[in-house]
Amino acid sequence: MSKYRIMWSTALLLLFVPLASSTPLQTRKWDDFEVKHAWTDAPHGWKCHGPAPEDHVLDMRIALKQDRFDDLVAALYEVSDPSHQKYGQHLSKQEVDELVAPHPNSVETVDSWLAAHGIDLGLVQRMNGGSWLTVPVKVEQASRMLNTTYSIFQHDSTSEYIVRTTSYSLPTILHDHIGVVSPTTYFSTMRSMRTTSFLQPHIKPLDNDIDTAAKLVDPGSLATVPSSCSTTITPACLRALYNSTTYVPKATATNKLGIAGYLEEFANNADLQTFFKKFRTDAVGGTFQTVQVNGGGNDQTDPGVEANLDIQYAEGISFPTPNIYYSTGGSPPFTPDSETPTNTNEPYLDWLNFILAQTTVPQTFT
């Protein structure tokens, strides 16, 4: 055999080796799992009720690591420091998006992982400069992607159901690119986050704020705040305690206050006017804007106690600063089965993603 034939055979061998091995190596990259987070058992109060249905749909949210997060923190300190030349020069949404955007290598690597699992990248929602990805996947697919098993858990005191896992993993190569994946090991309950406000129909009627304000001889001095404020809080009490009784907001053309609403709680404008007439007479006729998020409602015939409390006291101490009430859809009960394949019981990230997608937002949220 001539040396030329040997060289040609060797060249052909070297050419075909990568072709023969490329697919197994590519597959092995996504099968090399490393635990991202794990509990030894379900958190206190939660009980496992068995495996989640394979066709149950999860809105998988993936947080990519932000490439210039340190620069963002530095910028926030600069605009907040009165002695710095950039004081008050707050970042625009575009500038924030640029600082929180993931590194291009992270985007490419995570996209490759998603594509390897058959996910259409055109259907992936990218928020917050591309650092948050949302993609709907079935439990069966999520389990393969995260090398885990999803189960149905029920809370002891609220009886709520959620689909979670006590441990999940990611391919080793992704650990440097992904911060967290949800829903996985974070257990929460909407009902436990309800406030303890409630109606007291037999309580003695409150003085209106004209009476309370008249007692504030020296606004801002705790010694002159009426004793009634120690048991019953009205807008006048709050304004006195914060020494803002005589303050009139000056930047009402630019400043806004946002109130987040959930659990089908609707703020009622007619009730707000009744509240104003008794506790903030100079605000009568003022109103608020309602923004509906993720299918949130605005039924003015069915006001919520919590929603009314929030908007009335927010308006009561901030008027005439514009207020925006965000009515976000999604509420319990939710039972993960074949009849209800999609969870509408955890709207917090839906609200957050909505806010992050806006070009302008209120300066303050409550």
Side-chain angles (χ1 to χ4, degrees):
M1 182 180 294
S2 70
K3 65 177 182 179
Y4 297 106
R5 184 175 299 176
I6 294 174
M7 292 175 61
W8 179 245
S9 299
T10 303
L12 287 175
L13 178 62
L14 293 174
L15 175 65
F16 284 109
V17 165
L19 294 177
S21 62
S22 60
T23 300
L25 286 175
Q26 187 75 5
T27 302
R28 196 177 306 129
K29 179 172 66 173
W30 305 126
D31 289 342
D32 180 22
F33 287 101
E34 182 179 337
V35 174
K36 184 66 174 176
H37 185 259
W39 300 109
T40 56
D41 200 356
H44 177 72
W46 292 96
K47 182 179 180 181
C48 181
H49 276 253
E54 290 190 348
D55 61 349
H56 172 68
V57 178
L58 300 170
D59 277 334
M60 180 183 287
R61 292 179 168 90
I62 305 166
L64 276 62
K65 293 187 177 180
Q66 298 166 341
D67 186 43
R68 300 177 59 194
F69 183 77
D70 290 343
D71 292 339
L72 173 64
V73 173
L76 293 177
Y77 274 111
E78 290 173 355
V79 302
S80 304
D81 183 357
S83 64
H84 198 279
Q85 61 182 1
K86 291 186 178 180
Y87 177 65
Q89 300 177 29
H90 298 289
L91 301 176
S92 66
K93 182 181 185 300
Q94 180 179 351
E95 290 171 327
V96 173
D97 283 348
E98 291 173 355
L99 292 175
V100 301
H103 192 279
N105 288 346
S106 295
V107 177
E108 181 182 1
T109 303
V110 173
D111 280 358
S112 297
W113 172 57
L114 295 175
H117 283 277
I119 292 175
D120 183 351
L121 298 181
L123 300 179
V124 177
Q125 297 181 35
R126 302 175 190 269
M127 311 291 293
N128 199 24
S131 62
W132 273 100
L133 310 182
T134 302
V135 55
V137 296
K138 292 184 178 180
V139 161
E140 182 274 331
Q141 185 175 22
S143 298
R144 284 189 286 106
M145 295 173 67
L146 304 177
N147 194 35
T148 189
T149 300
Y150 277 91
S151 300
I152 300 173
F153 293 86
Q154 185 179 28
H155 195 267
D156 289 343
S157 60
T158 68
S159 298
E160 286 181 82
Y161 290 98
I162 60 173
V163 173
R164 290 293 188 274
T165 179
T166 55
S167 172
Y168 77 100
S169 302
L170 288 171
T172 302
I173 193 175
L174 292 180
H175 279 249
D176 289 336
H177 303 287
I178 292 178
V180 68
V181 179
S182 173
T184 50
T185 57
Y186 174 66
F187 287 69
S188 64
T189 166
M190 286 283 287
R191 292 182 184 176
S192 66
M193 295 182 183
R194 287 182 183 269
T195 61
T196 56
S197 60
F198 54 90
L199 295 175
Q200 293 180 302
H202 304 299
I203 196 171
K204 178 183 176 181
L206 300 177
D207 291 339
N208 61 40
D209 265 17
I210 297 176
D211 297 333
T212 303
K215 301 173 185 177
L216 301 175
V217 180
D218 182 17
S221 171
L222 292 179
T224 61
V225 174
S227 59
S228 62
C229 290
S230 64
T231 56
T232 304
I233 298 296
T234 70
C237 292
L238 293 174
R239 296 172 73 196
L241 290 169
Y242 285 95
N243 196 21
S244 63
T245 299
T246 59
Y247 175 73
V248 178
K250 298 179 176 61
T252 57
T254 55
N255 287 346
K256 292 181 176 62
L257 175 63
I259 299 98
Y262 304 98
L263 303 173
E264 297 181 355
E265 286 268 345
F266 311 128
N268 184 273
N269 187 59
D271 289 347
L272 177 63
Q273 299 309 312
T274 301
F275 184 85
F276 279 159
K277 290 175 183 177
K278 189 166 187 176
F279 296 108
R280 190 72 196 264
T281 55
D282 62 320
V284 172
T287 186
F288 59 93
Q289 177 187 357
T290 297
V291 174
Q292 294 166 261
V293 180
N294 195 38
N298 184 26
D299 187 351
Q300 290 294 295
T301 67
D302 185 25
V305 174
E306 177 65 21
N308 269 352
L309 172 68
D310 289 348
I311 196 67
Q312 289 168 9
Y313 273 80
E315 286 272 11
I317 62 175
S318 67
F319 180 83
T321 300
N323 282 208
I324 302 176
Y325 183 81
Y326 294 89
S327 176
T328 307
S331 66
F334 165 69
T335 304
D337 56 28
S338 58
E339 299 300 319
T340 53
T342 303
N343 188 356
T344 59
N345 191 21
E346 300 175 272
Y348 298 115
L349 278 177
D350 292 323
W351 176 84
L352 181 59
N353 282 337
F354 174 84
I355 293 299
L356 292 175
Q358 308 307 303
T359 55
T360 59
V361 296
Q363 289 82 356
T364 305
F365 286 98
T366 178

